[in-house]
Amino acid sequence: MEYITTRNGGSLPLIGLGTWQITDREKMLEVIRDAYEAGYRLIDTAAAYSNEIAISKAIENAGIPRSEIMLSDKVWNTSRGYNEVQEACRKSLKKLKTDYLDLYLIHWPASMKLYENWAEINAETWRGMEQLLADGLVKEIGVSNFKIHHLEELNKTAKVKPAVDQMEIHPGLYPKDIIDYCSENGICVEASSPLGNGQILSDKSLNEIAGTHNKTVAQICIRWILDKGVIAIPKSTSRSRIQENIDVFDFSLSSEETETIDNLPFCGGLGIDPDEVVSFG
Ligand code: A2P
């Protein structure tokens, strides 16, 4: 596994395991055992995924030492605020049966459609995140689904800058402006739903490119993401696909292929604009 260095000198694997929609405990044990054996060292979860206990049990039952894996978690929207985020983190730590998180993220910025004072809300939550860092409960702090204006607002009051911004990225959904901004500002980008929730895998152009390389479309998607300097967090419940998604270090895309993928129109995935959120903000 290759690693990327964060602004604080920490390191993150280029590929992590997504766990959204895996809640069954037996399945989680299989998935985490398979992923660990395949070489995954980063497990990505969120309070909203309702699987923190399943993950902690899986790690325990698989006999994986805590120090051998990195746990990344996210605070949900109902726990925004200085005190609230700290309380939420402590609850998550209990569920994960650990005394620290490797990475803790604000899951969504407060929606400007719902809150006039969205920037202030984010700033207060961030202050709580900084406190968690100072208290040693989390090793790195970051955000998720933050666009440039969210990051710039946060920057006005943040004492510690975000190490990471995680967002949906895959062929057909390429937020180049945010990736460039993050790269210029020392923020590592993580791609959630790098396969567009599996919905983009039948795309014709992607299949043609995959055929050329004797690789699968999933591998093309992940290679394209890594080439952007972005961490990919694919989710799979199948041993062979978990293995396949990490087997992307033995080929490269041509500049023509990269350009084709860069310009693909939206062809699947969630595609939620954080500024338009009204139902769960
Ligand atoms: P499964 O769990 O059955 O493997 P994303 O990470 O973008 O959210 O995509 C996850 C979806 O893509 C899941 O439905 C998962 O199904 C499917 N998936 C994951 N890896 C692969 C792969 N290598 N080939 C085909 N489908 C995959």
Side-chain angles (χ1 to χ4, degrees):
M1 176 58 72
E2 293 179 22
Y3 285 74
I4 219 170
T5 306
T6 67
R7 63 175 344 121
N8 312 313
S11 62
L12 289 168
L14 277 184
I15 301 177
L17 176 73
T19 64
W20 182 42
Q21 293 174 324
I22 310 176
T23 48
D24 181 80
R25 290 190 188 179
E26 290 298 311
K27 185 45 90 179
M28 187 67 87
L29 174 56
E30 266 175 47
V31 166
I32 287 191
R33 191 182 272 147
D34 291 343
Y36 184 73
E37 282 173 15
Y40 290 73
R41 290 296 178 270
L42 169 67
I43 299 172
D44 180 86
T45 184
Y49 300 171
S50 300
N51 61 12
E52 292 159 309
I53 294 174
I55 289 174
S56 78
K57 290 212 176 299
I59 292 169
E60 195 179 327
N61 291 337
I64 302 170
R66 174 67 183 88
S67 57
E68 288 277 310
I69 42 149
M70 306 183 81
L71 284 174
S72 176
D73 206 344
K74 310 182 196 80
V75 58
W76 185 238
N77 302 349
T78 44
S79 299
R80 293 198 181 100
Y82 177 74
N83 290 320
E84 290 83 347
V85 67
Q86 292 180 70
E87 205 179 302
C89 182
R90 287 189 162 82
K91 277 189 192 155
S92 286
L93 287 169
K94 231 181 226 170
K95 288 182 180 170
L96 284 164
K97 277 206 195 162
T98 181
D99 48 12
Y100 71 95
L101 294 170
D102 295 278
L103 179 62
Y104 197 42
L105 309 177
I106 299 180
H107 204 148
W108 289 89
S111 168
M112 54 182 65
K113 281 257 156 101
L114 295 172
Y115 306 102
E116 242 175 64
N117 62 339
W118 60 270
E120 198 186 314
I121 296 172
N122 291 339
E124 272 303 281
T125 311
W126 189 252
R127 209 161 61 79
M129 301 280 284
E130 290 174 333
Q131 192 59 52
L132 288 165
L133 188 68
D135 292 342
L137 298 186
V138 300
K139 290 194 171 173
E140 299 261 22
I141 51 176
V143 295
S144 176
N145 298 302
F146 273 46
K147 293 167 74 173
I148 295 174
H149 51 272
H150 299 118
L151 292 166
E152 289 200 319
E153 278 298 323
L154 200 67
N155 210 14
K156 290 181 184 166
T157 52
K159 293 194 180 76
V160 178
K161 308 295 181 215
V164 164
D165 190 359
Q166 180 180 125
M167 67 201 79
E168 182 178 353
I169 301 174
H170 48 74
L173 183 48
Y174 175 31
K176 184 175 186 312
D177 55 339
I178 311 179
I179 296 172
D180 288 348
Y181 178 90
C182 285
S183 149
E184 283 154 23
N185 289 279
I187 301 169
C188 293
V189 178
E190 291 184 332
S192 60
S193 300
L195 313 175
N197 289 124
Q199 293 164 16
I200 63 174
L201 303 178
S202 56
D203 179 84
K204 195 166 163 276
S205 315
L206 293 175
N207 275 278
E208 277 170 18
I209 296 171
T212 310
H213 291 279
N214 209 12
K215 286 280 174 185
T216 66
V217 173
Q219 290 169 322
I220 298 298
C221 294
I222 294 168
R223 184 67 258 168
W224 175 79
I225 287 167
L226 302 190
D227 289 347
K228 304 295 179 199
V230 169
I231 293 168
I233 308 171
K235 167 246 162 186
S236 178
T237 47
S238 128
R239 184 180 171 86
S240 63
R241 288 191 289 272
I242 285 171
Q243 173 66 51
E244 179 185 316
N245 293 344
I246 209 170
D247 179 18
V248 294
F249 294 100
D250 60 352
F251 74 105
S252 43
L253 298 169
S254 70
S255 48
E256 291 79 17
E257 290 166 340
T258 300
E259 203 184 323
T260 302
I261 304 176
D262 286 358
N263 293 308
L264 274 187
F266 187 78
C267 51
L270 295 175
I272 299 169
D273 181 342
D275 288 333
E276 297 299 325
V277 166
V278 286
S279 55
F280 60 91

